[in-house]
Amino acid sequence: MTGIVIVGTQWGDEGKGKATDQLGERVDYVVRYSGGNNAGHTVVVGQEKYALHLLPSGILNRNCVPVIGNGVVVDLSVLFEEIDGLALRGVNVDHLRISANAHIITPYHRVIDRVTERFLGRRKIGTTGRGVGPAYADKVNRVGIRIQDLFDESILRQKVAASLEQKNALLVKVYNRPAIDAESVADELLSYAERVAPMMTDTSALLNDALDQGRVVLFEGAQAHHLDVDFGTYPYVTSSSPIAAGACTGAGVGPTRIDRVIGIAKAYTTRVGEGPFPGELLDDTGERLRQAGREFGTTTGRPRRCGWFDALVVRQAARVNAMTDIFVTKLDVLTGWEKIPVIVGYDVNGVRHDDMPMTQTELHHSTPVYEYADGWTEDISSARSFTDLPANAQRYIRRLEELIGVRVSGIGVGPGREQTVMIHDLL
Ligand code: GDP
Ligand code: IMO
Ligand code: MG
């Protein structure tokens, strides 16, 4: 039995896609368990670059069965666009399995996501505008539409009409927008039923059987610990549970099925969207990091906010997720800095904190306390073993390991599949 979870330790875009793809060759099933097409996971294989939003990154390994778990919210138009786009590039996705219980992002969820953000104005969350939050809100509110509903037309039409009744009143009376026609939404959803039918599966049963047979199942987290609805910088979070525990509810496997939790940590920090980010660099250094790391969103193209590595952020993620391994990505981006600052504490109104503060108010008043590591100038993009790295790069990794309190098992030195230094075997 081998259940492995990959989780982002910061605010997303740590390189989860690359890490998933890299392990994919030795994995039997790759499962998305939370989020939707708010995710953007980049995989680079040779000269080819793939940006995946809904499909698990293991899809590029033919022997690996891709699964969309019950915890994911699925925009069917995006799903089939992605599948068709990959087919044109010779990647076959016929073996995709989708949970019958996964919820659907409908056109009205997308509309509501955008109008609420506009309505919030200065207080907006900076969502990806993909309808993810409103779809999860409907799920919890018990008015969501699920994949299985596509196969009972009468129920589907009733559910769409019921869900829209309240929303239309809100759209028309509060937001001054046209009402959305329930019948045409239901027609659009029904038009996907034939293509979805062969994919719809009891994915929880499938994955539990696979684990019973000793297969390797990789749960690919989207978003990250600090965007988690419970543990993130609420309310500036996503509306699901990207943490490792979310793999259990989002895929239908029990906690004892998880053998390994791999945290993905960028060698510095980025965040996209609004919300607190104590280490954010608003100066030229931030801009230099953004350019060096090409920090522009895979999903929305927005420039990512940048800062140095924040040990408090990653250590909290390591604790809550019981991480067994850390994979440090984008170490190559730090080449050429004479000194590399690392955040080792916060000053909160004159009081030193060694761990992330408990409350939102304290986090808002946190200013970083730095220590400084010595940099290196050698190009590290072709390093393949730890000893290939310059001494100061090795020291930097060892220091991060000490600060996080979890072993570093892999290091990314470039976007390519092979541009990785493995220190400990993960499978
Ligand atoms: P994800 O959302 O966590 O999968 O990450 P994204 O794909 O949104 O963003 C990570 C970006 O960094 C992508 O453009 C990757 O191709 C790239 N990347 C991943 N690992 C490395 C690395 O080790 N070095 C460099 N230079 N780029 C990397
Ligand atoms: P991956 O999987 C980075 C952020 C949005 C916004 C907040 C809420 O590529 O790491 P939402 O659309 O989910 O309601 O937006 O969460 N966000 C991400 N930021 N990477 C992601 O995914 C993200 N998914 C959501 O920018 O701040
Ligand atoms: Mg991303």
Side-chain angles (χ1 to χ4, degrees):
M1 173 177 120
T2 310
I4 303 170
V5 189
I6 281 191
V7 194
T9 59
Q10 294 152 325
W11 281 281
D13 304 323
E14 297 89 351
K16 299 176 291 293
K18 180 192 152 177
T20 302
D21 166 70
Q22 221 226 325
L23 293 176
E25 263 175 34
R26 292 148 74 194
V27 165
D28 300 303
Y29 294 81
V30 179
V31 190
R32 274 284 306 272
Y33 60 85
S34 74
N37 57 306
N38 46 353
H41 295 183
T42 318
V43 178
V44 179
V45 185
Q47 297 304 308
E48 294 289 314
K49 181 170 166 177
Y50 301 88
L52 303 167
H53 298 286
L54 206 41
L55 293 170
S57 303
I59 210 124
L60 300 171
N61 294 283
R62 182 62 198 156
N63 295 327
C64 176
V65 179
V67 178
I68 293 181
N70 54 278
V72 175
V73 285
V74 183
D75 184 327
L76 292 163
S77 61
V78 172
L79 178 71
F80 289 115
E81 202 179 303
E82 202 163 306
I83 291 177
D84 294 343
L86 284 170
L88 287 175
R89 299 172 73 180
V91 181
N92 181 329
V93 191
D94 290 348
H95 51 321
L96 176 69
R97 296 282 163 260
I98 305 180
S99 167
N101 286 356
H103 279 249
I104 296 176
I105 299 181
T106 69
Y108 51 81
H109 294 122
R110 291 194 295 264
V111 171
I112 289 166
D113 196 351
R114 287 176 191 166
V115 296
T116 15
E117 282 283 276
R118 221 166 293 151
F119 189 77
L120 284 170
R122 232 169 33 82
R123 290 175 296 121
K124 71 176 194 284
I125 306 291
T127 73
T128 58
R130 301 299 192 260
V132 169
Y136 279 116
D138 274 6
K139 171 178 176 175
V140 176
N141 215 10
R142 295 162 295 190
V143 291
I145 313 291
R146 295 189 293 173
I147 291 289
Q148 58 185 282
D149 296 327
L150 298 176
F151 303 95
D152 188 330
E153 180 172 348
S154 142
I155 291 277
L156 178 83
R157 289 194 186 278
Q158 287 173 48
K159 286 189 174 181
V160 171
S163 183
L164 266 175
E165 215 169 74
Q166 237 187 5
K167 293 182 181 73
N168 273 337
L170 194 71
L171 279 174
V172 174
K173 291 180 187 152
V174 178
Y175 297 125
N176 204 17
R177 300 266 147 175
I180 295 171
D181 178 43
E183 288 301 314
S184 47
V185 170
D187 289 344
E188 183 188 325
L189 297 182
L190 287 165
S191 74
Y192 296 113
E194 201 178 312
R195 284 192 81 179
V196 173
M199 298 172 177
M200 186 172 76
T201 305
D202 179 342
T203 49
S204 167
L206 177 80
L207 296 171
N208 279 289
D209 286 349
L211 287 163
D212 285 343
Q213 290 161 18
R215 303 262 189 243
V216 180
V217 179
L218 181 63
F219 301 92
E220 177 185 0
Q223 290 78 52
H225 175 84
H226 293 278
L227 288 171
D228 183 89
V229 70
D230 284 274
F231 293 98
T233 44
Y234 190 90
Y236 299 98
V237 293
T238 193
S239 302
S240 65
S241 303
I243 57 169
C248 295
T249 46
V253 299
T256 52
R257 295 294 203 172
I258 308 297
D259 303 292
R260 196 163 277 287
V261 178
I262 305 169
I264 313 297
K266 214 177 263 188
Y268 47 99
T269 314
T270 63
R271 170 163 205 169
V272 57
E274 308 301 318
F277 178 2
E280 181 172 17
L281 297 166
L282 295 162
D283 54 8
D284 290 349
T285 313
E287 186 55 32
R288 190 175 153 200
L289 262 180
R290 182 157 40 247
Q291 295 303 336
R294 300 206 176 85
E295 295 297 349
F296 297 89
T298 311
T299 298
T300 56
R302 289 179 289 178
R304 295 176 183 145
R305 302 156 65 192
C306 296
W308 296 111
F309 186 86
D310 186 329
L312 285 69
V313 161
V314 178
R315 189 163 61 236
Q316 192 201 60
R319 181 174 64 219
V320 175
N321 291 272
M323 284 170 184
T324 55
D325 301 85
I326 294 284
F327 199 119
V328 176
T329 61
K330 303 190 100 162
L331 187 66
D332 52 302
V333 174
L334 298 186
T335 298
W337 258 280
E338 198 180 333
K339 289 279 179 193
I340 304 171
V342 175
I343 299 174
V344 293
Y346 292 156
D347 180 311
V348 185
N349 302 324
V351 178
R352 161 83 183 238
H353 283 238
D354 294 321
D355 284 305
M356 280 191 87
M358 188 167 64
T359 66
Q360 187 184 358
T361 306
E362 289 168 300
L363 191 62
H364 274 289
H365 292 103
S366 295
T367 42
V369 177
Y370 291 101
E371 66 173 34
Y372 298 85
D374 290 324
W376 59 91
T377 51
E378 299 90 330
D379 178 4
I380 61 168
S381 59
S382 48
R384 294 295 175 268
S385 76
F386 193 63
T387 49
D388 290 342
L389 295 172
N392 283 345
Q394 294 187 21
R395 275 189 210 108
Y396 182 71
I397 292 293
R398 291 300 178 214
R399 181 62 183 142
L400 298 194
E401 193 166 50
E402 199 170 76
L403 288 165
I404 303 164
V406 177
R407 69 177 190 177
V408 171
S409 295
I411 303 166
V413 292
R417 190 184 259 176
E418 69 298 339
Q419 290 182 295
T420 305
V421 169
M422 287 314 293
I423 305 175
H424 301 290
D425 211 5
L426 293 173
L427 280 172

